[in-house]
Amino acid sequence: AQKVTQTQTSISVMEKTTVTMDCVYETQDSSYFLFWYKQTASGEIVFLIRQDSYKKENATVGHYSLNFQKPKSSIGLIITATQIEDSAVYFCAMREAFRSSNTDKVVFGTGTRLQVSP
Amino acid sequence: GPKVLQIPSHQIIDMGQMVTLNCDPVSNHLYFYWYKQILGQQMEFLVNFYNGKVMEKSKLFKDQFSVERPDGSYFTLKIQPTALEDSAVYFCASSFRTGGNQDTQYFGPGTRLLVL
């Protein structure tokens, strides 16, 4: 069964610094997809970045990047040059490959609340 | 990025009543989902829907729940009758496909349902 674990409940940083949020996952599938979403104060859920398990290169989008350590089943999110508006709850999520698991549901972690201060 | 819309944003109803939550998915997307988020917790999968059929549902998708998308209009989640434990935020999501780099699920802003 799929499982996603985020152990950090909240992180506080000063703006313009770099923050890393941890996430570990469990899956029996050899092919899977990892996602990070953020939930803003208004409740909106925004897709940020993804990593496909077969890709060795860490994904990067804007000031978001991933630290994918497949042997450790770990997918950390790195935010560089943080801004006040990055304050939100960040969810790590995983989906297994449909052809092998016959499901395309996304399983979410419990989230990490990021507070960026001036 | 792609936008999913949900109507209404908030709904308050009495226990036992019926409620319909509406979702307007991304225009060219083919796969539709509902997730439930209880306050302060993570989102949990309810159901997915493709080509007019439920493809998969979780144990949270009770018999009182139903989904449909008549004639390409809104993708709806109906709860009849509602129970107190149905109070939550319901998120709709859609994706273009289920494999490859076009299968990212995009989420709507949620409907906050309060059952009294």
Side-chain angles (χ1 to χ4, degrees), chain A residues 56-118:
Chain A
K56 295 183 179 179
E57 191 172 311
N58 289 325
T60 298
V61 176
H63 75 145
Y64 303 108
S65 61
L66 297 177
N67 179 17
F68 181 40
Q69 299 183 56
K70 197 169 183 180
K72 296 183 179 180
S73 296
S74 170
I75 184 73
L77 173 68
I78 303 166
I79 307 176
T80 56
T82 52
Q83 303 163 12
I84 303 296
E85 50 267 33
D86 290 325
S87 297
V89 179
Y90 288 78
F91 288 98
C92 178
M94 177 178 70
R95 183 176 65 75
E96 293 176 336
F98 183 81
R99 64 178 182 279
S100 55
S101 66
N102 206 33
T103 178
D104 65 354
K105 70 178 181 182
V106 174
V107 174
F108 288 85
T110 52
T112 297
R113 182 175 299 278
L114 175 66
Q115 181 67 48
V116 182
S117 303

Side-chain angles (χ1 to χ4, degrees), chain B residues 5-7 19 22 27 32 41 45 47 50 60 67 70-71 74 77 79-80 83 87 97 101 104:
Chain B
L5 304 176
Q6 290 186 241
I7 301 167
V19 67
N22 300 292
S27 61
F32 314 116
Q41 300 181 20
F45 171 80
V47 66
Y50 168 71
L60 297 178
V67 291
D71 300 324
Y74 288 139
L77 173 65
I79 308 175
Q80 181 179 28
S87 294
R97 54 183 291 186
N101 61 7
T104 297

Side-chain angles (χ1 to χ4, degrees), chain A residues 37 42 50 95 103-104 106 109, chain B residues 33 48 56 98 103-105:
Chain A
Y37 292 84
S42 66
R50 67 181 281 164
R95 183 176 65 75
T103 178
D104 65 354
V106 174
Chain B
Y33 311 82
N48 68 0
E56 181 187 6
T98 59
D103 63 353
T104 297
Q105 293 179 21

Side-chain angles (χ1 to χ4, degrees), chain B residues 38-57:
Chain B
I38 295 174
L39 185 65
Q41 300 181 20
Q42 74 267 46
M43 284 178 291
E44 294 188 271
F45 171 80
L46 284 176
V47 66
N48 68 0
F49 188 84
Y50 168 71
N51 198 25
K53 299 175 187 175
V54 170
M55 303 299 291
E56 181 187 6
K57 56 186 180 181

